[in-house]
Amino acid sequence: MKTAIYPGSFDPVTAGHLDIIRRAAGLCDRLIVVVMHNQAKKPAFSPEERCALLRRAAEGLPNVEVQMFSGLLADYAGQQNADTIIKGLRAVSDFEYEFQMALANRKLNPNLDTVFLMTSAEHMYLSSSIVKDIAAHGGDITGLVPDSVKNEILLRIRKDGNTWQH
Ligand code: PNS
């Protein structure tokens, strides 16, 4: 059984993330989407909130599960018997950082390969930060996030403003 892991901050899940989840789910038997901590970011949503949004967004994808983990991705992959990490790539600018992480994860766990899925063209510009910024300023995030979680994200961001930013 092929288990793959799609890790990220998912703060919050975007339409681009859901596109990668759908496509990755077709490449493996079991896909674990795992909410993790990125030490360079100050999240707006708690890990529990991010998991709940992801679970609702991924409803109907039977081989997808959503979890959270606070340690090293390489260790988590070992615990889950996964040998594949899925990452989405939007642009060349993503590549250097992702390449570095892929090599570091492979050093930590030599059984681990990272597979990069190219973003769909319509999501090239999309990021969780852009979604939060648009929502915080009263803009329309239709199509930028999964429809099933749009209202929840809007309510939450508009209640708190943009206090998560550095
Ligand atoms: O969505 P993001 O913020 O780009 O995801 C980055 C994430 C969370 C996958 C990365 O920061 C990560 O793997 N964090 C877990 C801790 C870890 O394993 N760090 C070493 C990575 S080489």
Side-chain angles (χ1 to χ4, degrees):
M1 173 150 148
K2 184 90 182 156
T3 300
I5 293 180
Y6 178 32
S9 304
F10 303 111
D11 185 49
V13 59
T14 67
H17 292 136
L18 184 57
D19 176 50
I20 297 288
I21 291 171
R22 285 202 179 105
R23 289 158 57 200
L27 299 174
C28 58
D29 300 305
R30 176 185 181 222
L31 179 70
I32 307 175
V33 182
V34 60
V35 172
M36 303 197 83
H37 181 64
N38 180 339
Q39 60 166 359
K41 294 180 181 170
K42 190 175 157 214
F45 292 79
S46 71
E48 291 78 8
E49 287 175 311
R50 287 180 266 159
C51 279
L53 292 169
L54 275 164
R55 284 197 185 106
R56 183 131 9 106
E59 261 170 24
L61 296 170
N63 63 335
V64 176
E65 56 193 84
V66 178
Q67 299 184 6
M68 64 177 103
F69 188 73
S70 62
L72 282 174
L73 175 57
D75 291 342
Y76 181 73
Q79 285 174 23
Q80 298 296 328
N81 264 332
D83 55 12
T84 307
I85 292 173
I86 303 283
K87 285 295 193 89
L89 270 188
R90 283 168 302 191
V92 179
S93 52
D94 283 345
F95 179 76
E96 206 170 328
Y97 171 67
E98 293 295 348
F99 186 48
Q100 188 181 18
M101 280 204 292
L103 292 181
N105 282 321
R106 199 163 158 76
K107 169 79 179 153
L108 292 169
N109 179 345
N111 298 320
L112 213 44
D113 259 316
T114 301
V115 172
F116 294 102
L117 295 185
M118 297 300 146
T119 184
S120 298
E122 68 264 35
H123 301 133
M124 279 280 292
Y125 65 96
L126 193 51
S127 69
S128 296
S129 301
I130 284 199
V131 165
K132 286 181 286 196
D133 207 23
I134 292 173
H137 291 91
D140 183 6
I141 58 169
T142 304
L144 308 188
V145 298
D147 288 343
S148 56
V149 294
K150 182 181 103 174
N151 287 340
E152 200 173 330
I153 290 172
L154 270 181
L155 283 172
R156 173 68 164 68
I157 294 289
R158 288 190 180 157
K159 181 162 77 69
D160 289 355
N162 60 356
T163 51
W164 65 89
Q165 287 175 351
H166 297 277

